[in-house]
Amino acid sequence: MTLSPARVPATGVRRLTTTLYGYAFLDDFVLLYPVYALLFADTGLSLWQISSLFALWSVTGVLLEVPSGAWADAVSRRRLLWIGPLLTAAGFALWVAVPSYGAFAAGFVLWGAGGALGSGALEALVYDELDHLGAAGRYARVMGRARAARLTGTVASLGLAGPVFAQGGYAAVGAASIMACGLTALTATRFPEHRTRPETSGDRWAATLRTGLAQVRGDRAVRGALLLVPAVAAVWGALDEYTPLLVRDIGVAEATVPYLVMLIWAGVTAGSLLAGPAERLGTAGFAALLAGGALALAVGAASRSPTGIALVGLAFAAFQLAEVLADVRLQHRIDESRRATLTSVASLGTELATVATFGVYALLGTRLAHGTVFAVLAVPYLVTALALVRTRAARARP
C-alpha cells in the first residue's frame, strides 16, 4: 500500500522524535549525577580541587566545542552522537575504578570531549530533519519535550541513586551510569539523517568556521541571539554542579540529598514542557522570566530550608525554559550549512562563562555558605533581564 503524502512526514517526524526523546532520556539517566560531588569530597578533595575539576570539564569543552561543531557540519552528525556517550562511559569507568584527583580529571576530559561531539550536532540534526519533513515550526515544542525527557532521565536517576548507592556504594552507581551511556550510544545509531553533506576536504571544517563567524559579524540579529544563549545557560548550568552541596548544607542526611535534588529537577522538567506555548513570549516576557527566576533563586538559596530548595527548583525551571527559547531564537536565524558551527560557537560562550562561574564560586565559597553564593550568582540574570528591556526600549524609539 502506498502511503499518502501527509502520512510520510508524520511517520518521519515520529521516528525522529521517538529516537530523540529516548536518546535525551538515556543521556541524562546517570546515577552518578547526584553523588559525584560527594565522591570527590569523600576522596579527600578540597573545594578548590573540586572546582578545578569542574573548570577542567568546561575548558575541555572550550577547546573542542567549535572544532567539533564545524566537524559536524562537514561529516555525519549521527556518527558523532554515538561516539560521544562512549567517551563519557570511559570517563565514568575511571572514576569508580581508581578514585583519585588524576582519574577524576581524566574522566572529565573524556566527558567534556563526549559532550562537545554532541553539542551543536544534536540541535542541527533535529532542526534540519524537521525542516526536511516540512515541520521546522515544531522545533521549539520538540526540543522542549526533549529537554523534558532529558530531565526525566535526571529525575529518574536521582530517585534510583539513593537505594542503589545504599546497596552498592559508588561502584554500583558508576556501573549503572556506564550502562546508560552504552544504551545512549546504541539509540543514537537510530537517528535519521537526510542531509546532503558537502564533499570533505582537508580545510573543510576551517572554511565552515570562517563563514559562520562572518555571518555573526555581519548580522546583528544572529549576534544578539548567539550571545543570549551563554547569558542564560552558563550560571545556572554551573550552579547545578553544586546543588548536592547546597542541599547537604541545610542539614539533611546524605541519603536524603538525592531526593531533594530530584525535587529541583522535577520542577525543571515541568518548565521544559512549556517551551512550545512560551515561544510566543516577546522580549519583555523573556526578561520577566529571567528576573522572576533570579528572585526565586536568591530567596530560595538564602533561606537554607527544604522550602527554599523548592524555590531553587522553580528558578532552575525558569532558566531551563529560557535556555530552550534562546536556542530556538538562534536556530531560526542561522542556515543549514552553518547550523552546527554557530550552535557550537554559542556553546563555547556558555563554556567560557561557566568556567568563570566556577572560579567565582570557588572564590566566594571559601568564605561564604553555599546558599549565600547561590544568592549572589542570581545577580547576572537580573543584569541580563535589564539589558533585554533596555534593548527593547531602544528599538522602540523612533
Side-chain angles (χ1 to χ4, degrees), residues 233-266:
V235 173
W236 88 274
L239 291 180
D240 165 39
E241 305 304 328
Y242 297 97
T243 50
L245 300 176
L246 173 71
V247 171
R248 187 164 66 174
D249 210 31
I250 69 175
V252 301
E254 287 199 3
T256 307
V257 170
Y259 298 108
L260 286 178
V261 175
M262 182 172 64
L263 175 64
I264 293 174
W265 287 101

Side-chain angles (χ1 to χ4, degrees), residues 20-369:
L20 173 64
Y21 301 155
Y23 179 90
F25 176 88
L26 290 167
D27 196 36
D28 266 22
F29 186 63
V30 178
L31 271 63
L32 274 169
Y33 277 168
V35 298
Y36 66 68
L38 306 182
L39 170 62
F40 302 157
D42 291 345
T43 305
L45 272 59
S46 67
L47 180 60
W48 272 104
Q49 287 177 309
I50 293 173
S51 294
S52 72
L53 289 173
F54 294 154
L56 176 63
W57 187 15
S58 290
V59 167
T60 302
V62 167
L63 295 176
L64 298 179
E65 186 73 55
V66 174
S68 67
W71 191 22
D73 278 332
V75 301
S76 168
R77 293 164 179 167
R78 177 174 56 201
R79 185 187 309 160
L80 301 186
L81 291 174
W82 65 256
I83 292 174
L86 298 182
L87 295 179
T88 302
F92 290 160
L94 278 176
W95 285 6
V96 296
V98 283
S100 62
Y101 183 85
F104 297 148
F108 268 126
V109 169
L110 288 167
W111 194 357
L117 290 180
S119 177
L122 180 63
E123 293 87 348
L125 184 148
V126 172
Y127 191 95
D128 287 342
E129 286 301 311
L130 287 172
D131 191 42
H132 171 77
L133 295 165
R138 301 188 192 182
Y139 180 78
R141 186 191 321 160
V142 168
M143 290 307 291
R145 291 175 179 176
R147 296 290 181 103
R150 185 178 293 277
L151 294 168
T152 301
T154 300
V155 171
S157 68
L158 295 174
L160 288 174
V164 172
F165 181 78
Q167 291 295 318
Y170 293 116
V173 295
S177 300
I178 293 166
M179 184 180 300
C181 290
L183 292 173
T184 305
L186 182 63
T187 302
T189 64
R190 299 294 302 159
F191 273 116
E193 187 173 26
H194 294 93
R195 180 175 63 107
T196 302
R197 296 188 298 277
E199 293 295 324
T200 57
S201 62
D203 65 344
R204 173 64 200 172
W205 75 270
T208 302
L209 177 58
R210 286 194 299 270
T211 57
L213 293 178
Q215 183 180 7
V216 174
R217 289 192 299 269
D219 191 325
R220 180 180 297 179
V222 172
R223 187 164 61 250
L226 190 148
L227 291 174
L228 185 60
V229 173
V232 170
V235 173
W236 88 274
L239 291 180
D240 165 39
E241 305 304 328
Y242 297 97
T243 50
L245 300 176
L246 173 71
V247 171
R248 187 164 66 174
D249 210 31
I250 69 175
V252 301
E254 287 199 3
T256 307
V257 170
Y259 298 108
L260 286 178
V261 175
M262 182 172 64
L263 175 64
I264 293 174
W265 287 101
V268 179
T269 304
S272 295
L273 295 173
L274 297 174
E279 190 178 10
R280 295 190 292 269
L281 283 177
T283 301
F286 195 96
L289 180 66
L290 291 180
L295 181 61
L297 177 63
V299 173
S303 71
R304 300 184 64 183
S305 67
T307 301
I309 296 301
L311 282 175
V312 172
L314 180 63
F316 277 24
F319 300 147
Q320 171 67 35
L321 175 57
E323 186 177 340
V324 175
L325 296 179
D327 173 59
V328 171
R329 292 186 180 202
L330 178 62
Q331 299 303 327
H332 284 333
R333 287 168 172 78
I334 53 183
D335 60 47
E336 176 185 349
S337 63
R338 295 183 285 271
R339 190 173 307 285
T341 301
L342 293 185
T343 303
S344 289
V345 170
S347 296
L348 171 62
T350 299
E351 294 292 351
L352 290 171
T354 300
V355 171
T357 304
F358 287 144
V360 171
Y361 198 106
L363 182 65
L364 296 176
T366 57
R367 299 180 180 181
L368 302 174

